[in-house]
Each structure stands twice: as structure tokens, then as C-alpha cells.
Amino acid sequence: MESFGARLHRAMADRGPLCVGIDPHPALLHRWGLTDDLDGLARFSQTVVDALGDRVAVCKPQSAFFERFGSRGVAVLESTIRQLRDSGALVLLDVKRGDIGSTVAAYAAAYLEPSSSLYVDAVTASPYLGVGSLAPMFETATAHGGGVFVLALTSNPEGPSVQHARGADGRTVAQTVIDEISQLNRGAQPLGSFGLVVGATIGETGHDLSGAGGPLLAPGLGAQGASAADLRTVFGRDLSTVLPSYSREVLNAGPDVSGLRSAFDRVLADCRAVLGSSS
Ligand SMILES: O=c1ccn([C@@H]2O[C@H](COP(=O)(O)O)[C@@H](O)[C@H]2O)c(=O)[nH]1
């Protein structure tokens, strides 16, 4: 079975190094002239699939915006995931799950087992119960060609108070996460299946990402203030595996399909200018 890392590497080469989020904020539904209800949620998601499903390498639905409508919102998420996969985009579900290992096994079954209605190519996970507690996700992902993106240096201003804290060996919490994920990716070619989330907003922090071996998901671009040029500052020499992620910056251009596609083309060009067209 082809690994997630290999599939992602190909998708980024074929479609460009870009992830676009589906974040149906109430304000965006309003801006698009939609109602803040299930109907608005379904129309919003369908429009993004129609506009970008056949061209974006990775699409990242934000689970929270579907969950807020309860089980029927989750049903819209299920249908959106299916349509995205059918249109050839890899689906990274942003759910940031994490718990004790036996519970993580249930999350793994929910998102990374092909028999699940919420089955996706990859999920985001929180390592703050220890990276080792995520082992059931790593195992299930490996068994089925899936991926896991673990939070390391998040884009929000509150992140550093936890992530920059140092342990007894002098490493920061984030560096410990980075090093443990690097171990999991060791030897994987052309790209490991275990990614790290590193915000484009964080500036130069001195963390060593050179051995990560997997994709580096970079949110925080656009609406949170970072620009593609900031990727150089944050990632330095490690740009070749960076997967920039935009949500509102692209979604603000809707509901016209042509507007969404133009915004997609623009941010992809910005990213290519920094990352190089071969990445
Ligand atoms: O460190 C992180 C991790 C995840 N996110 C998520 O990405 C999108 C960002 O949306 P924008 O509209 O592009 O700001 C959102 O779903 C966050 O939950 C992040 O921002 N930072």
C-alpha cells in the first residue's frame, strides 16, 4: 500500500504545494449570503468542493465548524469528505484529537479506518498527553496509508507559553515533539507520513526542523497575519517539505467559483515564489 507521505509528495508535485481549509465561520456564511444553519453549511461546503476539489493538493475541513450543528453537521462533513476524495484532493481533517492511548485508538478508528464514514487521508493531533499516547493513530495510519499531523509550534499567540517551555534535558516541549516525530519518519522516502504543524506566524524560534522527514503544515497565512514570505523566516532551509495552509484568505473570495479559483491561484503563486515550483 502506498504511504500517505508518498501520496502527499505526488499531490504536491502535481497540484502544487498548497492546503486550503474549509472553515464555515458564521461570518463567512453571512458574507456569502447564506444562512447560518445546516442548509448554509451544506451550500458553503459544496461550493468549495466544486471550486477547488479538482485542483487543490490537500483540503482541510475544520471539524469544529461542522460539529457545531450536531449530528446533521457531521453528516455534511461526511458527505464533503467523500466528495473531496472523489475529486482527487487529499483530505486532512483538522480535529486536533489527543487522549490516553486506549481512547486515541477509538479516534484512530473514527478517522483512519477505511470502514468509517469519517475516513480521511490524515488528521491533526494534539501531543500534550505525550507523543507516545498517539501511537494507536500512528499504527492505524501506517496500516492504511494514512497520515497524522502533530501540533508542534502553533500559529496562535498563546502557543509559546507551553511549547517553548523547557524540560530537564534542556529541549523545549516543541523540540521534543519534533524529535519524536522525526524518529517515526526515519528512512521514509520520498516523504514521511507523520507531519508537524508549525505556524507561519511564529518567526524565527531556533527550533531544529531539519530532521523532521515529514510534511510541515504551515497555517496562519492570510487572516492571521503571516505572508508567504514569512515561510522563509520560519522554515529557513527546510522549505522543501512545507505545506502552506490558507482558509479565510481564500474563502473570503467566495461564493463565486471563479473568485475562489482566482484566490487559490494567487496564493499558490505566492507560495511557489517562496518554496520553488519543484516543491
Ligand atoms: O497552529 C494552528 C493549527 C491549526 N490552525 C487551523 O488552521 C485554520 C486557519 O484558518 P485561517 O482562516 O487561515 O486563519 C483554522 O482551521 C485553525 O483552526 C491554525 O490556525 N493554527
Side-chain angles (χ1 to χ4, degrees), residues 71-82:
S71 61
R72 288 184 294 171
V74 174
V76 174
L77 175 60
E78 288 172 347
S79 146
T80 303
I81 290 168
R82 267 195 308 275

Side-chain angles (χ1 to χ4, degrees), residues 2 18 59 86 161 248 252 263 271:
E2 193 175 25
L18 193 62
C59 196
D86 287 349
S161 67
R248 284 166 288 180
N252 277 333
C271 292

